[in-house]
Amino acid sequence: MLPVEVTWAALCSFSTAPRTNPRLFVQIQEVKVADSMASFKAFLNSPVGPKTTHFWGPVANWGFVIAGLVDMQKPPEMISGNMTGAMCIYSGLFMRFAWMVQPRNYLLLACHASNESVQLYQLSRWAKGQGYLGGEKKGEASSQ
Amino acid sequence: MATSKFQALWNHPAGPKTIHFWAPTFKWGISIANIADSTKPPEKVSYPQQIAVTATGVIWSRYSTVITPKNWNLFSVNVAMAATGIYQLTRKIRHDYFSEEQAAVAKE
């Protein structure tokens, strides 16, 4: 066992359930750690893993989600209705694309699902700011 | 002859009956939105968003040549996205960092 795994296993053995047989408990933790290391290595080498463009394409698209989250802090006047509306339709279509493409790309699917939510929220903020959703348009007095 | 060519396109695995066609076709909407926004004042351009557009365009241009089926429509749209993203970024950077220098120089 590598020193790292033994240390991690030892740390795990202090964490949760009552220990009836401490040595057995530690062994179970070691196996769990070894399994997760193996699946991590499998991920690294998978056909949709970080050595391939199938990974980095979707990672780039998370940029839209992050940009959307950052822009949620900005005033609605700064939101582009064109771009946000386009993003909403775009992410909807690409959720389907991610499902149908070969190889199927769950990371891309997750990315566009998140982006859809963020962009719809931004769209609602923009629409409210423009007076479409019954909110007062900034700078205009309400007639009611 | 024309009909069979049309049929070949119509039935293509990345053709108009599939999502492989419509998703990239709609992605042009992002570039068009960006072009429409190119007349807006640079203060309104969002750095995070345009960086995301540019990075996506560049990485996806590569991605679209590697997936099955190969998707040239997707390739072209991502090249356009990268181009419009870079254009918006240069507009904003020029406004933020270079026009102020000119104003400062003019004051001196």
Side-chain angles (χ1 to χ4, degrees):
Chain A
M1 298 295 289
L2 295 170
V4 171
E5 289 172 52
V6 170
T7 313
W8 180 243
L11 284 169
C12 287
S13 69
F14 284 100
S15 54
T16 50
R19 292 173 285 157
T20 50
N21 182 344
R23 202 164 279 173
L24 181 61
F25 192 86
V26 167
Q27 281 175 3
I28 290 170
Q29 296 304 314
E30 284 170 358
V31 167
K32 281 184 187 169
V33 168
D35 277 346
S36 56
M37 295 281 262
S39 56
F40 181 66
K41 274 186 191 152
F43 163 70
L44 283 181
N45 294 310
S46 89
V48 289
K51 294 188 196 173
T52 70
T53 190
H54 299 283
F55 181 81
W56 294 106
V59 165
N61 278 11
W62 279 102
F64 285 126
V65 181
I66 293 164
L69 290 169
V70 168
D71 286 349
M72 290 205 295
Q73 312 303 321
K74 289 186 186 165
E77 297 80 33
M78 290 204 62
I79 299 175
S80 159
N82 291 335
M83 185 61 96
T84 310
M87 288 264 164
C88 291
I89 303 177
Y90 158 76
S91 277
L93 288 171
F94 269 83
M95 285 195 280
R96 171 68 179 166
F97 177 89
W99 188 255
M100 293 305 292
V101 81
Q102 286 292 337
R104 185 163 280 177
N105 204 321
Y106 295 106
L107 180 62
L108 189 67
L109 179 64
C111 167
H112 281 293
S114 318
N115 199 35
E116 187 69 30
S117 325
V118 170
Q119 297 299 332
L120 282 171
Y121 176 64
Q122 284 286 74
L123 192 66
S124 71
R125 284 182 73 221
W126 170 82
K128 263 193 197 146
Q130 297 292 312
Y132 290 126
L133 293 181
E136 278 182 34
K137 202 169 179 176
K138 271 203 172 175
E140 278 185 13
S142 170
S143 56
Q144 287 163 335
Chain B
M1 260 183 88
T3 12
S4 64
K5 256 197 173 170
F6 174 75
Q7 269 177 0
L9 281 174
W10 182 249
N11 293 312
H12 193 278
K17 293 198 255 185
T18 71
I19 187 70
H20 299 286
F21 178 82
W22 291 107
T25 303
F26 191 74
K27 207 165 182 178
W28 281 103
I30 294 182
S31 301
I32 292 165
N34 236 359
I35 292 169
D37 285 350
S38 63
T39 52
K40 276 193 174 171
E43 298 86 17
K44 288 213 165 180
V45 173
S46 158
Y47 270 130
Q49 193 176 65
Q50 294 304 322
I51 291 171
V53 167
T54 307
T56 297
V58 168
I59 294 177
W60 274 76
S61 304
R62 158 71 181 154
Y63 181 83
S64 56
T65 60
V66 180
I67 52 173
T68 313
K70 236 181 225 192
N71 205 321
W72 294 110
N73 188 13
L74 190 63
F75 176 76
S76 55
V77 72
N78 282 291
V79 167
M81 263 181 81
T84 57
I86 289 170
Y87 177 66
Q88 289 283 53
L89 281 173
T90 51
R91 275 183 73 219
K92 190 159 172 78
I93 291 171
R94 219 177 256 171
H95 172 81
D96 286 349
Y97 296 108
F98 295 112
S99 57
E100 277 173 43
E101 280 179 16
Q102 287 170 8
V105 165
K107 278 178 193 167
E108 285 169 37

